[in-house]
Amino acid sequence: MVMTTMLVTFACTVGLALVVLLSVAAAPMRRRGSRLIARLDAWADRALPVLHAWRERAARALEARVRDRLDASRTPAGEERSTAPVR
């Protein structure tokens, strides 16, 4: 358990350091024609449309679930939505 926690902490720390480093250094490296930044840009150009489509699909699914729960909460238990009101 301790080893897993240490590995996760290390991975998060290194990942955060890389994100900060690349966010600061990407512009100058891009101006100099860095192959690393070119590869990252190419990967992002391929991955971002896929990620955006996945995010939109997940948002639609979440919206449908929320709408279903809201509809279910408005319908009294044991009563169908198509029943006529009791007189």
Side-chain angles (χ1 to χ4, degrees):
M1 183 69 167
V2 171
M3 187 60 133
T4 303
T5 304
M6 288 175 57
L7 287 174
V8 169
T9 303
F10 176 76
C12 289
T13 303
V14 169
L16 183 61
L18 284 173
V19 167
V20 169
L21 176 69
L22 288 176
S23 67
V24 171
M29 290 175 74
R30 193 173 285 121
R31 280 194 301 269
R32 287 186 303 175
S34 170
R35 288 189 313 188
L36 171 67
I37 298 300
R39 285 181 185 166
L40 288 174
D41 287 341
W43 178 84
D45 288 341
R46 285 192 310 269
L48 287 179
V50 173
L51 294 175
H52 285 298
W54 179 81
R55 185 179 68 183
E56 289 171 7
R57 188 171 53 243
R60 284 193 304 268
L62 177 63
E63 182 181 322
R65 260 188 288 155
V66 168
R67 189 173 40 248
D68 289 344
R69 284 185 184 171
L70 190 58
D71 289 346
S73 69
R74 290 183 183 155
T75 305
E79 189 177 305
E80 294 295 322
R81 289 175 63 81
S82 62
T83 58
V86 177
R87 295 183 187 189

